[in-house]
Amino acid sequence: MAAWKMAYHANCWGPLGGDAVGVTSIGRLAYRTFGDMERAAREIAAAGYEGIEFFDGNVLDDAGEPSEDVRRILSATGLDLVAVYSGANFIFADILDEELGRIERAAKAARSLGAEHLVVGGGARRLAGVRDGDYDALAAGLDKVVALAERHGLAAHYHPHLSTIVETPDQVARIFETTAIGFCPDTAHLAAAGGDPAALVRAHAARISYVHLKGWQREPFAFTPVGEGDCDNGAVIRALKEIGYEGWVCNELDAWADPAAGARESLDFVRAEAAKA
């Protein structure tokens, strides 16, 4: 598995939320894990990972600058900051500049802290349903993310996500017909939306330079360690090997009673499956 470097997302060490000020200030609405990020990093490093991914709200301080706490944590644990995850509605023209300004601040912080990748989700699903032009607006916004990421020396990736207008395989194909952004497959979200993650990896191989692996179970709905549940991550690992993927693979788990144990279990699974492949 020499061509793969393994990272883990810090989101399992506390509840996921958004900064409440974003209700009245779109430009300050960031994702955040409300937990002890130092503990998360220590346990991720102890599990055997080389890298870590944070949400945008966790890498920015109160003034919107790169977090010195995160810089200290990275130095103390020896982990590389691999990626920062952000997102936006993208389809509402009146607020797009505010959203992009916030994403650019996250990109600036990510690069300052040593990251290589910027991952974004989004494409709001309106309460009344999708309107004509929403996919075009999303694609245009994602192309602007590509440009701002390049300004900061980052590779930009789009992460299809449940509850957005890009969930299903057809929707994934549709958005990638009209934007130049890279594809960060999150295997659990793709499977839960009715897709075959391994097939999607093969179909969009040329766009993939960063990967999220996550487990998912159908009943009751839950995210799980990478090797558990109804998402065949073994098949995804084989597909990644077939397309000659090299680079960072980020395991992820949104919530787990023992986050450190979930991190170890996921890494053991990926190593074993990659060795078999």
Side-chain angles (χ1 to χ4, degrees), residues 29-157:
L29 179 57
Y31 291 110
R32 186 181 296 273
T33 300
F34 293 95
D36 185 341
M37 293 299 93
E38 184 168 1
R39 175 195 166 198
R42 287 198 313 268
E43 293 184 354
I44 288 168
Y49 291 91
E50 301 169 77
I52 192 167
E53 179 176 327
F54 285 115
F55 286 125
D56 50 356
N58 291 106
V59 300
L60 293 168
D61 64 18
D62 291 340
E65 295 297 321
S67 168
E68 292 305 313
D69 285 342
V70 169
R71 196 182 306 278
R72 175 183 55 78
I73 289 168
L74 295 171
S75 177
T77 59
L79 291 171
D80 291 329
L81 177 62
V82 178
V84 169
Y85 186 99
S86 188
N89 294 281
F90 288 116
I91 65 168
F92 303 118
D94 285 352
I95 63 170
L96 181 60
D97 285 347
E98 294 290 314
E99 292 181 323
L100 292 173
R102 173 177 47 75
I103 293 171
E104 184 146 23
R105 287 192 294 277
K108 178 183 175 183
R111 190 56 179 165
S112 172
L113 295 166
E116 302 174 31
H117 302 285
L118 175 68
V119 184
V120 296
R125 183 178 298 280
R126 301 172 190 267
L127 295 179
V130 181
R131 292 183 187 173
D132 289 344
D134 283 353
Y135 284 96
D136 290 339
L138 172 58
L142 294 176
D143 284 340
K144 290 181 179 180
V145 171
V146 172
L148 72 83
E150 288 177 349
R151 287 197 293 272
H152 296 282
L154 299 171
H157 312 266

Side-chain angles (χ1 to χ4, degrees), residues 155-246:
H157 312 266
Y158 180 63
H159 175 302
H161 200 288
L162 296 174
S163 80
T164 72
I165 62 173
V166 183
E167 297 180 338
T168 68
D170 286 347
Q171 292 165 348
V172 171
R174 179 174 183 175
I175 197 62
F176 286 133
E177 288 173 355
T178 50
T179 177
I181 201 167
F183 174 30
C184 175
D186 180 304
T187 54
H189 282 267
L190 295 171
D196 177 342
L200 287 164
V201 163
R202 294 186 183 94
H204 300 283
R207 287 185 181 263
I208 299 174
S209 59
Y210 186 55
V211 175
H212 279 188
L213 297 181
K214 188 192 308 185
W216 163 73
Q217 68 182 30
R218 188 173 281 105
E219 294 291 343
F221 184 100
F223 294 120
T224 67
V226 172
E228 296 186 18
D230 298 301
C231 177
D232 189 352
N233 279 304
V236 174
I237 289 167
R238 292 191 295 274
L240 289 168
K241 288 285 189 178
E242 288 171 19
I243 69 171
Y245 179 78
E246 297 183 0

